[in-house]
Amino acid sequence: MAIRTIIEPFRIKSIEAIRGTTREERQRLIEAAGYNLFLVPAEAILIDLLTDSGTSAMSTEQWAAMMRGDESYAGSSSFDRFRASVQGIFGFRHVIPTHQGRAAERILFTVMCKKGDVVPNNTHFDTTRANCEYAGAEALDLPIPEAKEPARVLPFKGNMDTARLAETIARVGAKRIPLVMLTVTNNSGGGQPVSMANIRAVKEICGWHGIPLYIDACRFAENAWFIKTREAGYAEKAPRAIAQEMFSLADGCTMSAKKDGLANIGGFLCTNDDALARQEKDLLILTEGFPTYGGLAGRDLEAIAVGLNEALEEEYLKYRIASTAFLGNHIASEGVPIMQPPGGHAIYLDARAFLPHIPPEQFPGVALAVELYLEGGIRSVEIGRLMFGEHATMDLVRLAIPRRVYTQSHIEYVVEVILDVWRRRGKIRGYEVTQQAPFLRHFTARLRPLAG
Ligand SMILES: *Cc1c(COP(=O)(O)O)cnc(C)c1O
């Protein structure tokens, strides 16, 4: 009989100790932090699921490549290796390194957008939306309608609504749409994938009107894996070939190497348009640096060059997606309400359904995140009323899984903690804000529990 257990496809060579705390210590720490997990020192966290961005563990091959880093200001050989690696997967003519994904976004929108323009996307990530709006354009989200139903299970819930895209182009006119974007996977929509058929359909509509298509490529490898395992005709294809096909349908991309680049910092912007590339490189020099390093050290370029290829290895992707799905499916089978189906990089708990006795104005997402910390030292992030104020349509708690960092027993521990909190959910109380900033309040707000 074939062995079915999926294992971590690596062994551990260097370890970082994580510290357990007592419940009393955690009670003291969270109170001192105003019940805001951003304000708890990382040392007092046992399992940190705040984000999957820049938190990956690097491989021996990445560390070895970093020693080769060529720190020359211009013409660095590290840039040549970085560009070759990016072009081998993404295939675009111009590769422009940046210090993070948002720097690539700022340059792209500054060059392509003007006031009054509209940029459709399946769902803009928050930095993408902010950079688009800063350039004077409207950031328009066009997810398929099912994306807004947390319990609905669909293989490609990250798809764009192509009918609404066509309607939008007819309504505002192609002249006011400088580009269309697709975010793979759809981070703000629960880490849900986009199908090849949807990318192709969006490209076709764009093609009729001469509108370029850009891919927000942060989780391109995870998206390729979902296409391989869920879309007809791709089961026998390698993730690398699937990724190449995805990008062959686009005119450029933005990328945060802190996600599927398996690096701790970095990003890039790609385009096939020579004239745009020239303007983008001019802007790059203004704020990021010379086009052969773009705000990164030579060693960072080396780490990304290796990481992009490692992210496409089948054994790695199989383990990664299985690990996230294990967490989601296990708690869901015990009745815990999650955003379905489990995404690639994170599980989202539906806090309104988890704590129906706490009204949205009493921050059910904060209450749940605080309990997960008190119960087991787990850090998650509220995505709901505290983050978005009255505009929040859902109260979610995101458990983002860093890449290659936690093992199966860590994930089993997280499952156990969530189930313990689930069993005593009726006793959890709501919160009120005692102090807040006028914008992006979730980072620094202080709260207190309401009397029971
Ligand atoms: C993280 C992210 C970005 C921004 O990248 P940074 O490296 O954090 O600046 C853009 N889009 C998506 C979908 C992301 O997940």
Side-chain angles (χ1 to χ4, degrees):
M1 215 175 85
I3 290 171
R4 298 201 338 268
T5 305
I6 296 169
I7 61 168
E8 287 85 4
F10 49 80
R11 54 183 177 176
I12 297 164
K13 185 167 208 148
S14 176
I15 62 111
E16 182 181 8
I18 50 178
R19 192 168 76 91
T21 44
T22 63
R23 185 175 250 278
E24 290 68 40
E25 282 177 297
R26 292 194 290 278
Q27 185 66 56
R28 215 167 341 102
L29 284 157
I30 194 79
E31 209 179 306
Y35 296 90
N36 183 340
L37 286 159
F38 279 102
L39 305 180
V40 174
E43 275 193 329
I45 308 287
L46 188 63
I47 306 279
D48 200 347
L49 307 182
L50 181 67
T51 177
D52 67 320
S53 177
T55 51
S56 301
M58 291 210 295
S59 66
T60 50
E61 292 302 316
Q62 283 177 292
W63 283 109
M66 283 177 80
M67 285 304 292
R68 210 184 299 127
D70 175 357
E71 306 302 342
S72 302
Y73 192 96
S76 153
S77 62
S78 293
F79 175 71
D80 294 336
R81 283 186 285 274
F82 166 81
R83 182 173 53 191
S85 172
V86 173
Q87 284 179 330
I89 300 163
F90 296 75
F92 299 112
R93 197 147 60 231
H94 300 279
V95 179
I96 299 170
T98 58
H99 80 280
Q100 283 197 210
R102 67 196 68 185
E105 291 166 352
R106 196 192 63 86
I107 292 169
L108 176 71
F109 294 132
T110 304
V111 167
M112 293 193 83
C113 297
K114 58 181 188 316
K115 200 167 157 23
D117 284 349
V118 177
V119 180
N121 198 329
N122 45 352
T123 309
H124 287 271
F125 180 64
D126 56 6
T127 62
T128 320
R129 166 173 292 278
N131 275 296
C132 186
E133 289 171 352
Y134 192 73
E138 179 193 343
L140 182 66
D141 291 340
L142 299 175
I144 54 169
E146 297 89 337
K148 290 182 192 118
E149 302 168 42
R152 188 74 176 267
V153 178
L154 280 180
F156 292 103
K157 222 173 158 181
N159 282 352
M160 178 179 273
D161 186 334
T162 50
R164 283 188 64 205
L165 174 64
E167 267 166 41
T168 302
I169 297 172
R171 179 170 53 84
V172 305
K175 272 208 211 63
R176 281 179 52 212
I177 304 180
L179 73 160
V180 169
M181 291 191 89
L182 272 176
T183 305
V184 302
T185 57
N186 187 359
N187 185 1
S188 308
Q192 302 293 332
V194 178
S195 69
M196 192 74 81
N198 190 248
I199 302 175
R200 202 177 291 284
V202 169
K203 173 64 188 171
E204 194 181 4
I205 295 169
C206 289
W208 294 334
H209 302 278
I211 302 171
L213 171 64
Y214 277 68
I215 294 182
D216 179 339
C218 298
R219 295 176 183 82
F220 74 98
E222 292 171 7
N223 201 83
W225 183 257
F226 283 119
I227 289 175
K228 179 180 172 67
T229 53
R230 294 182 183 176
E231 191 162 352
Y234 289 93
E236 301 306 321
K237 294 212 165 97
R240 186 184 182 82
I242 297 171
Q244 287 165 335
E245 186 176 334
M246 283 160 49
F247 294 110
S248 73
L249 297 167
D251 300 278
C253 74
T254 55
M255 173 74 187
S256 169
K258 301 173 74 172
K259 295 21 176 298
D260 277 351
L262 291 170
N264 302 122
I265 196 73
F268 52 86
L269 169 60
C270 292
T271 179
N272 281 333
D273 186 316
D274 297 340
L276 281 179
R278 214 169 313 119
Q279 294 174 58
E280 287 164 356
K281 285 178 196 173
D282 289 346
L283 258 184
L284 185 81
I285 292 172
L286 195 62
T287 56
E288 295 285 295
F290 193 72
T292 60
Y293 75 87
L296 294 169
R299 55 180 170 272
D300 298 327
L301 296 169
E302 298 277 0
I304 298 166
V306 176
L308 290 170
N309 288 307
E310 290 182 349
L312 285 168
E313 285 170 9
E314 289 208 31
E315 289 306 308
Y316 158 73
L317 283 168
K318 188 195 282 181
Y319 137 78
R320 165 110 182 119
I321 302 301
S323 177
T324 308
F326 174 87
L327 169 58
N329 291 333
H330 203 117
I331 57 176
S333 72
E334 300 284 331
V336 177
I338 67 166
M339 183 105 112
Q340 289 282 10
H345 70 291
I347 294 298
Y348 296 70
L349 306 178
D350 182 348
R352 282 190 197 174
F354 197 114
L355 302 171
H357 57 289
I358 301 181
E361 55 276 14
Q362 294 179 9
F363 307 103
V366 170
L368 181 50
V370 166
E371 283 315 304
L372 295 177
Y373 178 69
L374 285 174
E375 187 74 22
I378 296 168
R379 176 154 66 176
S380 54
V381 64
E382 187 254 18
I383 300 183
R385 187 74 172 215
L386 187 65
M387 189 177 275
F388 299 123
E390 277 149 38
H391 306 296
T393 53
M394 293 192 276
D395 278 282
L396 303 173
V397 171
R398 187 184 74 179
L399 304 157
I401 318 292
R403 293 169 182 76
R404 304 193 294 207
V405 170
Y406 295 117
T407 63
Q408 175 69 7
S409 67
H410 289 125
I411 298 293
E412 284 171 13
Y413 171 86
V414 173
V415 167
E416 196 179 334
V417 170
I418 294 170
L419 294 181
D420 274 357
V421 172
W422 173 242
R423 280 180 211 111
R424 57 177 181 74
R425 61 191 180 278
K427 298 205 186 79
I428 298 170
R429 285 176 286 150
Y431 283 78
E432 65 181 346
V433 172
T434 58
Q435 194 183 309
Q436 60 182 314
F439 49 85
L440 294 175
R441 66 172 177 172
H442 55 287
F443 289 118
T444 53
R446 302 184 70 84
L447 302 96
R448 73 170 160 237
L450 291 160

